[in-house]
Amino acid sequence: MKVLVRVVVYVMTFVLLFGGVGALGYIRSNQGYWMPTRQTPMPALQSVSVPEHDPKKPTVAVLLANPTTEVFDFMVPYEMFAMTEAYNVYAVAPDKNVKTLSGGLDLMPHYSFDELDRLLGKSPDLIVIPAMPMVDEAKYKPVREWIQKHADTKLVSICAGGLNLADTGLLKGKEATTDWKSFDYQEINKYPETKWRRGVRYVADGNIVSSAALTSGIDAVLYVISQQLGEPMAEKIAKEMNYPSYAFVKNPQVAPYYVDRTEMIFTFNQAFQWNKKSAGVLLYNGMDDGALSTIFDTYAASGTTKVYTISDAKQPIVTKYHLNLVSRYQMANALKLDRMFVPGVEAETIAAADVKQWSEKGNNVVPEFIHSGYGDRFMFDAPLEDLAKQEDVLTARYGLKRLEYRATHLAFEGNPFSYEAFGIPVLLGFAALLLAFSIDRRFMQKGKRGRHQLVTRS
């Protein structure tokens, strides 16, 4: 019995110290990515740049939710449909308030749901459904209802947006897919009437196309473009993006990913990376929408880096394809940064004036043109290769897996693993062992000695 009590003490001490600290770190890091709180006052915004509506073109509505939407799932499909110049493409939300993408990128919708309905007088021709947290029913309900209202239109879900689509009931009896984690974490079990398929980049069933994780959404969008505008247009968009995996558009079959030991580096980065890097991303007019998303869906998503948007504009920054971005910090009140990213292949030219302003304001962090020299490569290559150098190879390789980017040509150079992410758990383990040993000696062994002395005296 005494041995059992001592074992329980050692185990509970380890669980409470190691597990408690790790759980707290993981929760805070995860919330920081999915629910990034704005620390600066919202500026008084006066205007929103809205792409001109051409009634002769079909309309694509890309959804934004309250409080957040996954950054890749929104930004990349939005950019791809806009690149065709064959659609009216709008960012649409329940209301016109500023919305937040995962990692902390704020933007303004072009239209509210009601405004777009009035503009069109009918359903949009296509609705893109990104991954959107459904934890706050009151805030999320308008999104569900609007999708249901336009159930007969073309629907494209991206990554875990498949769960959002299943939540509407529109996937009952249909084949669909979603991100690989949702299979292993049993999220799909909430929707048993859907015929979930694993090991495919996308699934087309009737008016619905659903994609697997993140970059699989590129394949799904290219498939839709090929069906609606012809294969030459889809090939043109893939070529302009330097996307190396167009073969998946024709054959979406792929060996499935699973939650396995590779998940450890992500979990440990989230839980035990206490000294996270601080990176700014410079927002400038005309910036490439997709290139911007790569900063958030590599560095911020890895659990190693906090990313802050910075500009010197008090009104929205307008991207190449007319998204309206709202920076969280001005150059004059920017936080202390470790790095400053200026994304986009053409950033050195387009952002020259903004970079000059940054330097003139006495900011010591030298801007980095992260995509410079990568003009002939896919937009995620540069951040992923750089992430390996900033952090470690394991973190970069998991980033590749998380994105479901099936690339084999990337060159990862850096530490083999994170000394901090793995070192802190080891130290916590030793601390838990020492604490348990102290409790053992202080209370259990002391009580044993006390009873022994009583027996001896008697």
Side-chain angles (χ1 to χ4, degrees):
M1 184 64 182
K2 295 175 184 177
V3 174
L4 179 60
V5 171
R6 294 175 73 181
V7 170
V8 170
V9 169
Y10 276 82
V11 171
M12 290 303 297
T13 303
F14 180 83
V15 169
L16 290 174
L17 184 59
F18 179 88
V21 171
L24 179 61
Y26 188 93
I27 292 169
R28 290 182 62 184
S29 185
N30 196 50
Q31 287 182 338
Y33 181 73
W34 279 106
M35 306 291 177
T37 304
R38 188 183 182 96
Q39 303 295 333
T40 56
M42 186 68 67
L45 304 173
Q46 299 173 350
S47 61
V48 177
S49 174
V50 180
E52 183 178 353
H53 182 74
D54 184 344
K56 297 179 182 178
K57 294 180 179 180
T59 295
V60 176
V62 188
L63 300 189
L64 290 165
N66 292 319
T68 50
T69 303
E70 211 289 327
V71 59
F72 178 103
D73 295 0
F74 172 83
M75 295 283 284
V76 176
Y78 175 93
E79 178 182 56
M80 292 176 68
F81 282 115
M83 287 172 69
T84 67
E85 299 183 349
Y87 299 94
N88 301 302
V89 188
Y90 301 121
V92 187
D95 54 62
K96 292 289 289 292
N97 296 329
V98 171
K99 305 302 176 202
T100 300
L101 302 180
S102 55
L105 178 60
D106 294 336
L107 74 164
M108 298 182 69
H110 295 127
Y111 293 108
S112 68
F113 291 157
D114 290 343
E115 286 175 336
L116 186 65
D117 287 343
R118 288 196 296 270
L119 173 69
L120 300 178
K122 62 181 184 67
S123 294
D125 298 276
L126 193 152
I127 296 174
V128 177
I129 304 169
M132 299 169 281
M134 296 181 280
V135 293
D136 190 323
E137 172 61 20
K139 290 182 178 180
Y140 182 74
K141 183 179 179 181
V143 176
R144 179 192 301 114
E145 292 179 343
W146 195 74
I147 297 171
Q148 291 170 332
K149 178 180 178 181
H150 300 292
D152 293 332
T153 197
K154 189 78 172 179
L155 303 173
V156 180
S157 68
I158 310 295
C159 192
L163 301 179
N164 295 94
L165 185 51
D167 173 71
T168 65
L170 300 179
L171 283 180
K172 289 182 178 179
K174 290 184 176 290
E175 290 191 345
T177 192
T178 185
D179 66 300
W180 51 274
K181 283 189 177 183
S182 293
F183 283 88
D184 287 344
Y185 291 158
Q186 309 301 313
E187 293 292 327
I188 61 169
N189 292 349
K190 298 176 183 176
Y191 311 103
E193 294 178 323
T194 299
K195 301 172 185 176
W196 295 104
R197 290 182 58 192
R198 193 169 197 166
V200 286
R201 301 278 287 185
Y202 67 87
V203 173
D205 189 345
N207 67 314
I208 293 176
V209 177
S210 55
S211 85
L214 295 161
T215 61
S216 298
I218 294 176
D219 303 322
V221 172
L222 289 173
Y223 168 78
V224 171
I225 291 172
S226 71
Q227 295 297 299
Q228 296 190 346
L229 305 179
E231 184 139 347
M233 175 62 80
E235 291 176 338
K236 175 177 178 289
I237 299 304
K239 185 176 181 180
E240 289 179 3
M241 295 175 67
N242 297 305
Y243 181 57
S245 303
Y246 188 83
F248 289 132
V249 179
K250 295 183 177 181
N251 179 16
Q253 301 292 325
V254 69
Y257 282 147
Y258 296 92
V259 174
D260 53 25
R261 58 189 177 85
T262 62
E263 194 84 6
M264 183 178 293
I265 185 60
F266 174 74
T267 302
F268 276 26
N269 278 336
Q270 296 278 82
F272 302 112
Q273 276 272 23
W274 296 347
N275 185 32
K276 295 186 188 298
K277 306 294 189 303
S278 178
V281 56
L282 183 65
L283 303 184
Y284 57 93
N285 286 311
M287 71 187 310
D288 183 86
D289 308 65
L292 173 61
S293 75
T294 68
I295 306 301
F296 292 91
D297 248 317
T298 50
Y299 300 96
S302 70
T304 68
T305 310
K306 292 183 178 180
V307 178
Y308 304 96
T309 53
I310 298 169
S311 75
D312 206 35
K314 295 183 179 179
Q315 291 303 309
I317 293 290
V318 182
T319 68
K320 182 178 181 179
Y321 294 107
H322 293 281
L323 288 177
N324 295 263
L325 311 176
V326 183
S327 61
R328 293 200 168 190
Y329 291 90
Q330 299 292 302
M331 292 183 185
N333 70 345
L335 298 170
K336 183 179 179 181
L337 301 172
D338 296 304
R339 306 181 70 179
M340 179 59 148
F341 293 120
V342 190
V345 172
E346 299 178 344
E348 291 183 72
T349 301
I350 302 176
D354 300 87
V355 170
K356 182 180 179 181
Q357 279 185 301
W358 170 259
S359 301
E360 288 176 347
K361 290 185 180 295
N363 295 293
N364 296 324
V365 180
V366 178
E368 300 177 47
F369 299 96
I370 186 68
H371 291 98
S372 179
Y374 280 75
D376 60 346
R377 295 181 61 183
F378 184 50
M379 57 191 175
F380 275 91
D381 288 5
L384 284 168
E385 290 184 347
D386 181 77
L387 184 62
K389 296 175 183 177
Q390 175 187 293
E391 298 299 329
D392 58 90
V393 172
L394 275 183
T395 293
R397 289 198 181 283
Y398 183 79
L400 197 67
K401 178 181 178 181
R402 176 186 170 274
L403 288 163
E404 201 158 331
Y405 180 25
R406 305 278 176 150
T408 58
H409 63 277
L410 273 66
F412 291 146
E413 300 175 358
N415 293 326
F417 60 89
S418 171
Y419 301 128
E420 180 180 0
F422 285 94
I424 288 178
V426 172
L427 292 175
L428 284 173
F430 277 120
L433 182 63
L434 288 173
L435 179 59
F437 181 71
S438 298
I439 294 172
D440 186 5
R441 292 198 62 183
R442 178 74 175 83
F443 297 102
M444 298 183 180
Q445 293 187 25
K446 180 179 178 181
K448 182 179 179 180
R449 287 195 300 270
R451 289 191 298 271
H452 178 72
Q453 289 171 1
L454 286 174
V455 170
T456 303
R457 290 174 184 173
S458 64

